[in-house]
Amino acid sequence: MPTNEKELNAILFDQLSLVERIERALKSGGVTAAEAEIDIVRKEIERKLYQSPPLAGGGKP
């Protein structure tokens, strides 16, 4: 959960960027290109979610 407006804005800009990437893929290569872009985005998100050590939690600075 975002702790402040700046953090929320950053999250919303990231989401908007993802939508724009998928729209570009749809326009340039159709459904197949959009599906490929979605797979790329999914892998990027999973890398962030499952990184070691995690960003949040009991990690040392």
Side-chain angles (χ1 to χ4, degrees):
M1 195 76 181
T3 58
N4 58 43
E5 185 177 355
K6 185 175 182 179
E7 187 176 344
L8 177 60
N9 284 344
I11 292 168
L12 292 174
F13 277 119
D14 286 344
Q15 291 176 343
L16 183 58
S17 294
L18 292 174
V19 170
E20 290 170 345
R21 286 173 62 178
I22 295 167
E23 286 176 337
R24 269 195 311 273
L26 270 172
K27 289 178 184 174
S28 66
V31 172
T32 304
E35 289 173 339
E37 188 67 31
I38 290 169
D39 287 339
I40 292 167
V41 169
R42 179 178 290 115
K43 288 175 185 172
E44 291 172 356
I45 292 168
E46 287 172 351
R47 267 196 311 273
K48 292 175 186 177
L49 285 173
Y50 302 117
Q51 66 179 327
S52 182
L55 284 176
K60 294 181 181 178

